[in-house]
Amino acid sequence: MLATELQHKIDFKTKPLGALGHLESLAHKIGMVQKTISPQLLHPHMVVFAADHGIASAGVSAYPQEVTYQMVMNFLSGGAAINVFCRHQGIEIKIVDAGVNFDFPEGLELIDKKVRKSSRNMLEEPAMTKEEYLQALENGRAVVLEIAETGCNIIGFGEMGIGNTSASSLMMSRLFDLPAADCIGRGTGLDDEQLQRKINILSEVLQQYAHIQTADEVAQTFGGLEIVQMMGAVEEAFQQNMLIMVDGFIASMAVAAVSKKNPEILKNCIFCHVSDENAHQKLLELLEQKALLNLNLRLGEGTGCALAYPLIQSAVNFLNEMSSFEDAHVSNKE
């Protein structure tokens, strides 16, 4: 009944049928999540999870590991792209230390959910022990639970972590049974030689853990602490019936992992952009999702979510504020 009412409301706005394109399906999706024909976006939040990766020491990234903590400090000082975009869109931003290999000073506006300093080197052992994995999931849930108490009903997740495209590529390869090379991209900007090295290293990692299959096993073995905390955060956001803005490849991989356990989660997700990372478009196709934007972004941080937020707001606004043919005394087609 609600689906029919929403579609009727959308179809009888002063426009040809379907003229607002993807914005119409977005408005319908938001109404279905909020179970109303007059949805609202309340207290939007962006959460950026940061952590380091043991695999980074093998040379899978163009940048050194220290960039992770340096960028966290940049987030906290308000100087990163995500800070700029959130400020302009009125989105509150939270920065979470999920496992950065650094001792941050006291007194920072930083949410301390550090499980350990960096995930482990997958060439030598799984990225996390089972206890660390479960703690990371719980830490992500706790962050969202606290935000939910503010009345927030739309939340986006971003990440920062040198080496995290490698972790995501490994997860994608195993969860969707794809060749490693199909899931591996240039990350922070690898040249051809560096890319081939990355493919060789990650292929070796996959061979070492050939028996790993379930979503939890895959995330524990190949994931990063920020990715796993994002997984827990997505699960809790779904429990709170929030709209979930999904950023690029790494955030999409976190959502893909939890959707393997509970496909219903995808009903609350808005995939904000398709990134320039090699495998992201393929991942969206596997999830049967269409992204709002394609701007060749490959920054992470949640930047795609912040840029897409005005479109999400516009979908809600036209549904609530645009006149119907009857209201405006405009003739509809016969």
Side-chain angles (χ1 to χ4, degrees), residues 36-305:
T36 177
I37 62 170
S38 301
Q40 299 180 71
L41 305 182
L42 303 173
H43 307 292
H45 276 66
M46 174 64 58
V47 184
V48 182
F49 293 94
D52 280 302
H53 293 252
I55 194 71
S57 63
V60 293
S61 175
Y63 284 82
Q65 195 177 77
E66 308 88 77
V67 170
T68 303
Y69 86 78
Q70 291 166 353
M71 280 303 299
V72 169
M73 296 302 291
N74 192 24
F75 297 148
L76 295 171
S77 67
I82 190 59
N83 301 101
V84 174
F85 299 152
C86 283
R87 272 198 301 271
H88 283 273
Q89 307 306 339
I91 301 169
E92 185 164 347
I93 186 169
K94 302 287 186 184
I95 312 299
V96 179
D97 175 8
V100 181
N101 189 21
F102 186 73
D103 292 313
F104 290 100
E106 297 288 327
L108 299 175
E109 288 289 319
L110 179 66
I111 300 174
D112 182 6
K113 295 292 183 183
K114 194 194 297 281
V115 175
R116 70 188 309 273
K117 286 183 176 179
S118 176
S119 60
R120 301 163 192 269
N121 187 346
M122 290 176 269
L123 286 166
E124 301 168 358
E125 57 186 324
M128 283 155 262
T129 65
K130 186 170 185 180
E131 292 72 24
E132 289 163 353
Y133 173 69
L134 293 174
Q135 186 61 62
L137 283 175
E138 183 53 40
N139 286 3
R141 292 188 189 106
V143 169
V144 172
L145 193 57
E146 187 170 333
I147 290 171
E149 293 173 359
T150 69
C152 166
N153 69 0
I154 179 167
I155 192 165
F157 300 115
E159 40 60 41
M160 176 63 218
I162 296 300
N164 62 14
T165 59
S166 293
S168 299
S169 296
L170 288 166
M171 290 173 66
M172 180 177 173
S173 175
R174 184 54 51 83
L175 284 177
F176 293 96
D177 194 24
L178 295 168
D182 291 355
C183 305
I184 297 169
R186 297 181 186 274
T188 47
L190 300 178
D191 61 29
D192 289 346
E193 184 179 340
Q194 292 169 321
L195 177 60
Q196 189 56 55
R197 173 180 169 80
K198 181 178 180 180
I199 291 170
N200 294 342
I201 290 168
L202 298 188
S203 297
E204 182 181 339
V205 171
L206 283 168
Q207 290 168 9
Q208 284 182 221
Y209 304 99
H211 60 289
I212 298 300
Q213 295 297 335
T214 70
D216 285 314
E217 289 173 340
V218 168
Q220 179 192 327
T221 305
F222 301 132
L225 291 159
E226 83 283 34
I227 296 171
V228 176
Q229 290 204 20
M230 202 183 307
M231 288 170 59
V234 168
E235 289 178 321
E236 185 60 41
F238 177 71
Q239 287 298 315
Q240 298 293 328
N241 200 39
M242 294 175 171
L243 291 163
I244 301 166
M245 296 185 289
V246 186
D247 194 39
F249 178 51
I250 293 139
S252 296
M253 196 58 244
V255 169
V258 295
S259 74
K260 285 284 186 178
K261 299 190 284 181
N262 182 6
E264 292 293 303
I265 282 173
L266 292 173
K267 292 182 178 179
N268 285 53
C269 292
I270 299 170
F271 288 79
C272 292
H273 78 113
V274 55
S275 84
D276 209 30
E277 182 63 13
N278 181 46
H280 192 212
Q281 178 61 50
K282 176 66 174 176
L283 181 57
L284 291 175
E285 290 169 5
L286 289 165
L287 296 173
E288 299 180 346
Q289 299 294 320
K290 181 178 174 61
L292 289 177
L293 300 170
N294 185 350
L295 299 172
N296 294 335
L297 304 176
R298 54 180 177 87
L299 180 57
E301 304 178 5
T303 46
C305 298

